[in-house]
């Protein structure tokens, strides 16, 4: 079979991870994150729905949730599912963080929550969101879906805001194929989240069975010798059909599964969590070496750790100096099997399927970031010679455009 690398560094599962036994996954996760307790959900999206539903019941007169204009489209669907309205904030120039000036102007009496987002394992500016949100009586819900294991000030991300959620989806480091971890700083929100869960989450044996089978499939297929079947071939087919949204898996609909996280998958998580810290250290060391090489390329921005933060590295996020250069690089790299991809294809208003729930807006920085960004896998399976190939093709794209 053709060697195919994943676009992100997911933690491979071992056969013994699938065996029963082990301590409580929720307790182990809470201890590792340094919190009193966690609430487990079937996905990060489900965790966001539960959290926003609870927040809205505590403050029923507020209806808007401020999010970055360039983020996962599932964020918009989660807000809609909770009966709320997304309010888009443009990005700071050439950065994934929200623009500070515009964020301040968006906050008001109808703001329920601000959602600072830790993208690509990098730590967002949460303190700004906290200051603005608390100044207008709103909550801060940290989107740490891509940042399980990241730290700020020596503590896990997700602890500066009022609440946060992590994703256990494929490619997010530790995976249960799908899964979510929801945490809150105080007992008021924790109790509200538990009540919300009792109302929103419904048992589904069909979804539980489906996710269990998908997790077994992940354990079998997640290796370079088989990933062409599950990932590479569908990717190349979608690109050949001119559908980049399907190629990166951004083609979401409004139907968000809301069911309990199965006990067997939690057991798998308990076993795999024991290996996650070492995996994070390995991928961090690899990333630090490789971003130094990428930063030698003219006009390339590679996002690293901000001061007093220690992120995780599922992949490397970078921008090229122009959309033309980015397209020239992707022309050969995206289909090469080397783990080069894009994160989100569009700013939120530019997904056709979101037109009824996301208002259009002037978002020049978000659209520019979408047009110039790409990602490089930080999987330990990416060999040094393959990384040099990626760098060489990036350099040619930069010098010929």
């Amino acid at each position: 079979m053709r060697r195919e690398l994943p676009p992100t560094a997911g933690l491979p599962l071992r056969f013994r991870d699938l065996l029963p036994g082990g301590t409580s996954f929720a307790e182990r996760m809470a201890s590792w994150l340094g919190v009193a307790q966690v609430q487990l959900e079937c996905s990060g999206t489900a965790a966001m729905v539960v959290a926003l539903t609870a927040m809205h019941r505590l403050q029923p007169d507020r209806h808007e949730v401020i999010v970055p204009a360039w983020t996962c489209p599932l964020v918009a669907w989660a807000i809609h599912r909770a009966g709320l309205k997304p309010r888009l904030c443009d990005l700071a120039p050439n950065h994934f963080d929200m623009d500070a000036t515009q964020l301040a102007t968006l906050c008001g009496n109808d703001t329920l929550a601000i959602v600072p987002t830790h993208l690509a394992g990098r730590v967002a500016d949460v303190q700004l969101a906290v200051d603005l949100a608390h100044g207008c009586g709103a909550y801060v819900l940290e989107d740490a879906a891509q940042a399980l294991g990241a730290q700020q000030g020596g503590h896990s991300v997700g602890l500066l805001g009022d609440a946060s959620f992590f994703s256990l989806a494929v490619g997010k480091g530790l995976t249960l194929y799908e899964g979510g971890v929801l945490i809150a700083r105080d007992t008021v929100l924790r109790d509200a989240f538990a009540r919300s869960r009792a109302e929103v989450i419904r048992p589904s044996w069909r979804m539980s069975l489906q996710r269990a089978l998908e997790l077994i499939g992940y354990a079998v297929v997640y290796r370079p010798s088989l990933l062409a079947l599950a990932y590479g071939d569908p990717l190349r087919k979608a690109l050949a059909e001119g559908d980049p949204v399907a190629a990166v898996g951004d083609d979401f609909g409004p139907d968000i599964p809301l069911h309990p996280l199965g006990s067997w998958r939690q057991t798998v998580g308990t076993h795999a969590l024991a290996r996650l810290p070492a995996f994070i250290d390995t991928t961090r060391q690899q990333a630090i070496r490789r971003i130094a090489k990428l930063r030698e390329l003219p006009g390339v921005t590679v996002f690293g750790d901000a001061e007093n933060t220690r992120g995780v590295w599922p992949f490397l996020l970078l921008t090229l100096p122009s959309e033309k250069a980015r397209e020239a690089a992707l022309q050969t790299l995206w289909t090469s099997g080397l783990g080069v991809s894009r994160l989100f294809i569009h700013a939120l208003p530019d997904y056709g399927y979101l037109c009824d729930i996301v208002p259009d807006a002037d978002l020049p920085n978000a659209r520019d970031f979408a047009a110039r960004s790409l990602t490089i896998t930080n999987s330990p399976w990416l060999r040094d010679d393959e990384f040099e190939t990626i760098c060489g093709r990036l350099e040619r794209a930069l010098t010929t455009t």
Side-chain angles (χ1 to χ4, degrees), residues 69 240 362:
D362 183 23

Side-chain angles (χ1 to χ4, degrees), residues 233-244 247 335:
D233 291 346
L235 163 75
R236 283 178 277 275
K237 181 176 183 292
L239 290 177
E241 295 172 349
D243 191 352
T335 57

Side-chain angles (χ1 to χ4, degrees), residues 61 108 146 149 194 209 214 240 255 271 273 326 334 391:
D61 294 333
Q146 297 182 2
L209 177 60
E214 287 169 335
D255 185 18
H271 295 319
L273 181 58
R326 197 280 308 272
W334 206 351
C391 291

Side-chain angles (χ1 to χ4, degrees), residues 15 133 155 207 213 221 224 226 238 269 289 372:
F15 173 73
H155 303 283
M207 285 303 306
L213 293 174
V221 174
L226 294 177
R289 294 196 309 270
R372 295 189 296 110

Side-chain angles (χ1 to χ4, degrees), residues 193-401:
F193 290 170
R195 290 193 298 271
S196 175
R197 184 182 194 278
E199 297 169 6
V200 171
I201 304 301
R202 290 289 179 266
S204 172
W205 67 265
R206 183 185 65 81
M207 285 303 306
S208 295
L209 177 60
Q210 177 181 323
R211 294 300 190 222
L213 293 174
E214 287 169 335
L215 183 58
I216 293 171
Y218 171 87
V220 172
V221 174
Y222 192 70
R223 60 198 73 236
S225 60
L226 294 177
L227 270 172
L229 294 174
Y231 167 71
D233 291 346
L235 163 75
R236 283 178 277 275
K237 181 176 183 292
L239 290 177
E241 295 172 349
D243 191 352
V245 172
V248 301
D250 271 0
D251 47 346
F252 302 112
D255 185 18
I256 299 173
L258 297 169
H259 59 91
L261 180 63
S263 58
W264 173 73
R265 287 196 293 140
Q266 293 184 42
T267 298
V268 175
T270 298
H271 295 319
L273 181 58
R275 301 195 312 279
L276 185 61
F279 184 77
I280 289 174
D281 287 342
T282 297
T283 51
R284 175 181 172 79
Q285 293 166 14
Q286 175 175 271
I288 289 172
R289 294 196 309 270
R290 291 179 172 174
I291 62 175
K293 173 73 174 179
L294 289 168
R295 284 173 174 163
E296 296 174 0
L297 299 174
V300 172
T301 299
V302 188
F303 293 89
D305 284 339
E307 185 179 357
N308 203 33
T309 70
R310 185 182 178 90
V312 291
W313 298 90
F315 49 87
L316 311 181
L317 175 64
L318 53 152
T319 57
L320 273 60
S322 67
E323 182 178 10
K324 186 176 181 182
R326 197 280 308 272
E327 288 302 299
L330 287 180
Q331 186 171 5
T332 57
L333 284 172
W334 206 351
T335 57
S336 66
L338 294 176
V340 176
S341 186
R342 293 172 64 181
L343 186 48
F344 310 124
I345 298 299
H346 301 302
L348 288 181
D350 301 330
Y351 290 94
Y353 59 78
L354 292 179
C355 63
D356 291 334
I357 66 171
V358 175
D360 197 6
D362 183 23
L363 304 164
N365 294 334
R367 289 184 167 111
D368 176 66
F369 202 96
R372 295 189 296 110
S373 59
L374 59 80
T375 63
I376 300 172
T377 184
N378 193 39
S379 169
W381 292 326
L382 179 67
R383 302 187 302 245
D384 287 342
D385 63 305
E386 293 171 324
F387 179 71
E388 290 296 329
T389 296
I390 293 171
C391 291
R393 295 186 187 180
L394 286 174
E395 187 170 20
R396 282 196 295 275
L398 292 167
T399 57
T400 57
T401 55

